[in-house]
């Protein structure tokens, strides 16, 4: 009968601990009124409790810190830190000790060891310590693989490893919406929701635009010469709360003049989000490149450069239109027609020639009109005809103006 030899025990012991900041100690206050049976007993016990705050014993938070009792949650964008210790539990001197730490994700394997050089020897009751750090950039299952190799006094080479499996969770839910203005401006609304179980301090939420755009943040207001955030003095985001950020992107001057280029731009930029959690633990996320649906202007685009907000009833007012040939190849010969509506009447000659408009070029046109009806009126009725292709482009609901009476009667 063959007997397998007993499995040899290793001379070294490996310990791996996650490094996290402590939490504030909490207790459950128990109190009662003085006329109740216990009298002042409960209050006196809370005053004698060293974990309570002197003078504010009924608060749940105390003055002590609690060390982590479990592995805890790891969120995307945070820094994972771990303490690795190899201790010589034997009475022998061990040689050529090599400690290696790798992090296996769903897509890659990363070496986190500070040094790949072997330690010459390790005496009894001595240890080798290392601290590793890694900014978590993937969600899902992660496996920390710690491997130790060494040589005994007898020259035998030994090797063992341990696996530590943990999940990386998603801390924020980010949703974006794009609004394409009549001009080449693009407005981005970003909705950021805290889907963790603890509050966050939002240190920074910024938009890094693509090379074709400049960005302006619309998340602050000016009061008495001081710039104040629209979210108030406290930038905390409670669990499951959502905050909306707004940005305006304008094309850079060198690209704004090239209508064909801006027309097809879909990549806008990416969001950079930085936050802090309990006791200042920092996290950072960058979204992938945000993309919008490019607006379909067709071959000819008409936009407003200037228009008054309020006009007087039956009095002429002026607007300035910009006509752009969005075609990259074809020159157009345009004719402008102005069609009156029930409330808007155009002043001038309809059917006039605008001349040739070369590819990706623009012309500005000053027009005069008046309104015969009060209230909020829509500017409509412009028609552009390309005489080469015999194609007509209709432009209605270009803008809106508020029409008021020029004679205001004051009742006594």
């Amino acid at each position: 009968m063959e007997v397998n030899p007993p499995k040899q025990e290793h001379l070294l012991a490996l310990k791996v601990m996650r490094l996290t900041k402590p939490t504030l100690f909490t207790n459950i206050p128990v109190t009662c009124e003085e006329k109740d049976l216990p009298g002042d007993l409960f209050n006196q016990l809370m005053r004698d409790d060293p974990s309570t705050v002197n003078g504010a014993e009924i608060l749940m938070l105390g003055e002590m810190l609690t060390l982590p009792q479990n592995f805890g949650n790891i969120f995307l964008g945070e820094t994972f830190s771990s303490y690795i210790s190899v201790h010589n539990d034997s009475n022998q001197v061990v040689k050529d000790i090599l400690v290696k730490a790798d992090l296996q994700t769903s897509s890659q394997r990363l070496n986190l060891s500070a040094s790949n050089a072997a330690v010459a020897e390790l005496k009894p009751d001595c240890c080798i310590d290392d601290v590793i750090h890694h900014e978590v950039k993937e969600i899902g299952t992660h496996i920390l693989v710690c491997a130790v190799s060494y040589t005994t006094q007898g020259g035998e080479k030994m090797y063992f490893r341990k696996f530590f499996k943990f999940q990386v969770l998603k801390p924020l839910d980010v949703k974006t919406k794009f609004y394409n203005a009549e001009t080449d401006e693009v407005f981005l609304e970003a909705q950021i929701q805290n889907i963790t179980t603890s509050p966050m301090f939002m240190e920074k939420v910024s938009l890094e635009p693509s090379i074709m755009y400049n960005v302006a943040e619309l998340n602050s207001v000016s009061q008495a010469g001081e710039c104040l955030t629209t979210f108030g003095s406290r930038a905390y985001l409670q669990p499951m709360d959502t905050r909306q950020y707004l940005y305006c992107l304008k094309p850079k001057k060198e690209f704004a003049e090239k209508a064909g280029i801006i027309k097809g731009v879909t990549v806008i930029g990416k969001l950079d989000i930085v936050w802090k959690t309990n006791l200042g633990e920092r996290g950072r996320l960058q979204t992938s490149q945000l993309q919008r649906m490019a607006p379909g202007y067709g071959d000819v685009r008409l936009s407003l450069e200037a228009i008054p907000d309020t006009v007087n009833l039956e009095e002429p007012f002026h607007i300035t239109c910009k006509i752009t040939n969005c075609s990259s190849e074809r020159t157009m010969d345009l004719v402008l027609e102005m069609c009156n509506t029930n409330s808007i009447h155009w002043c001038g000659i309809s059917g006039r020639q605008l001349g040739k408009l070369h590819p990706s070029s623009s012309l500005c046109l000053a027009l005069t009109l008046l309104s015969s009806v009060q209230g909020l009126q829509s500017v409509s009725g412009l028609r552009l005809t390309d005489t080469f292709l015999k194609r007509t482009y209709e432009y209605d609901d270009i803008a809106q103006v508020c029409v008021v009476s020029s004679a205001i009667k004051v009742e006594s």
Side-chain angles (χ1 to χ4, degrees):
M1 181 177 177
E2 184 179 353
V3 179
N4 293 325
K7 186 176 180 181
Q8 182 177 358
E9 298 223 353
H10 285 283
L11 306 178
L12 303 181
L14 172 67
K15 291 184 179 180
V16 178
M17 291 171 281
R18 183 191 173 194
L19 295 178
T20 58
K21 292 190 176 182
T23 57
L24 291 172
F25 178 79
T26 59
N27 54 22
I28 300 177
V30 179
T31 184
C32 65
E33 296 183 4
E34 293 183 0
K35 62 182 179 180
D36 291 337
L37 184 61
D40 194 45
L41 176 62
F42 291 154
N43 295 332
Q44 186 60 43
L45 288 174
M46 287 193 296
R47 285 192 291 268
D48 296 339
D49 190 342
S51 66
T52 59
V53 179
N54 188 21
E57 292 82 7
I58 61 174
L59 294 179
M60 292 185 64
L61 291 179
E63 295 181 320
M64 293 186 176
L65 298 176
T66 304
L67 294 176
Q69 302 299 309
N70 50 44
F71 191 81
N73 294 324
I74 299 179
F75 293 100
L76 183 69
E78 294 182 344
T79 299
F80 169 70
S81 300
S82 183
Y83 168 69
I84 300 175
S85 178
V86 176
H87 187 267
N88 187 354
D89 290 345
S90 69
N91 55 5
Q92 303 179 25
V93 176
V94 179
K95 299 181 179 180
D96 301 328
I97 305 98
L98 179 62
V99 183
K100 187 178 180 182
D102 292 339
L103 186 63
Q104 178 70 53
T105 70
S106 58
S107 63
Q108 58 184 335
R109 189 183 182 102
L110 303 169
N111 180 21
L112 304 184
S113 300
S115 174
N116 292 322
V119 178
E121 66 176 23
L122 186 64
K123 296 179 180 180
D125 289 329
C126 293
C127 61
I128 300 172
D129 298 324
D130 189 16
V131 176
I132 58 175
H133 303 280
H134 173 67
E135 184 178 345
V136 182
K137 298 181 179 179
E138 295 182 42
I139 60 174
T141 303
H142 287 57
I143 302 175
L144 180 64
V145 183
C146 297
V148 179
S149 62
Y150 61 96
T151 304
T152 63
Q153 279 186 338
E156 183 180 3
K157 293 186 177 181
M158 305 293 290
Y159 174 84
F160 69 95
R161 60 180 179 174
K162 289 186 178 181
F163 301 88
F164 303 89
K165 185 177 179 180
F166 59 92
Q167 294 288 332
V168 174
L169 307 177
K170 185 179 176 183
L172 298 171
D173 186 27
V174 181
K175 297 178 181 178
T176 57
K177 295 180 182 179
F178 288 101
Y179 303 90
N180 298 308
E182 284 297 324
T183 59
D184 288 324
E185 294 178 343
V186 179
F187 291 89
L188 168 65
E189 177 191 344
Q191 298 181 358
I192 300 177
Q193 184 182 25
N194 177 9
I195 56 177
T196 69
T197 57
S198 59
M200 288 182 176
F201 173 77
M202 305 304 293
E203 186 174 291
K204 184 182 76 168
V205 179
S206 62
L207 177 64
E208 298 179 1
S210 62
I211 59 173
M212 293 188 179
Y213 286 96
N214 292 319
V215 65
E217 294 191 8
L218 306 179
N219 305 307
S220 59
V221 293
S222 180
Q223 290 185 356
E226 185 178 357
C227 189
L228 301 176
T229 175
T230 56
F231 308 114
S233 58
R234 292 182 176 87
Y236 290 99
L237 192 60
Q238 297 295 333
M240 304 312 296
D241 278 1
T242 301
R243 183 172 290 173
Q244 294 169 303
Y245 295 85
L246 186 62
Y247 304 90
C248 176
L249 296 108
K250 297 182 180 180
K252 293 181 180 178
K253 188 175 181 180
E254 58 267 29
F255 299 108
E257 298 173 354
K258 302 177 182 179
I261 296 178
I262 290 296
K263 173 187 173 183
V265 172
T266 57
V267 176
I268 296 300
K270 56 186 178 181
L271 286 170
D272 187 16
I273 307 170
V274 180
W275 71 90
K276 289 182 179 179
T277 53
N278 295 334
L279 296 177
E281 292 176 287
R282 189 184 179 95
R284 181 184 181 186
L285 278 182
Q286 274 194 335
T287 64
S288 56
Q289 289 289 346
L290 303 176
Q291 295 189 338
R292 62 159 180 167
M293 291 291 293
Y297 296 128
D299 293 334
V300 182
R301 179 186 177 190
L302 186 142
S303 59
L304 282 179
E305 295 293 297
I307 184 172
D309 295 328
T310 306
V311 298
N312 290 330
L313 179 67
E314 297 180 348
E315 290 185 10
F317 62 94
H318 306 283
I319 65 173
T320 302
C321 298
K322 183 179 180 181
I323 301 172
T324 305
N325 181 356
C326 296
S327 172
S328 59
E329 301 175 352
R330 188 167 56 85
T331 299
M332 297 181 178
D333 192 4
L334 299 176
V335 174
L336 174 67
E337 295 182 19
M338 300 179 292
C339 305
N340 294 334
T341 64
N342 293 332
S343 58
I344 294 295
H345 306 273
W346 297 91
C347 305
I349 301 173
S350 180
R352 60 171 163 158
Q353 294 276 348
L354 298 181
K356 294 183 179 180
L357 191 60
H358 297 287
S360 300
S361 60
S362 305
L363 64 88
C364 289
L365 196 62
L367 300 174
T368 305
L369 59 161
L370 61 84
S371 176
S372 58
V373 180
Q374 295 187 71
L376 191 63
Q377 303 300 327
S378 179
V379 177
S380 302
L382 287 181
R383 305 290 183 263
L384 288 173
T385 302
D386 182 5
T387 58
F388 289 151
L389 296 181
K390 304 298 182 183
R391 183 180 297 171
T392 300
Y393 304 91
E394 300 181 356
Y395 299 96
D396 295 316
D397 297 324
I398 303 169
Q400 291 180 326
V401 293
C402 181
V403 182
V404 298
S405 174
S406 58
I408 301 176
K409 297 180 180 180
V410 181
E411 296 183 1
S412 56

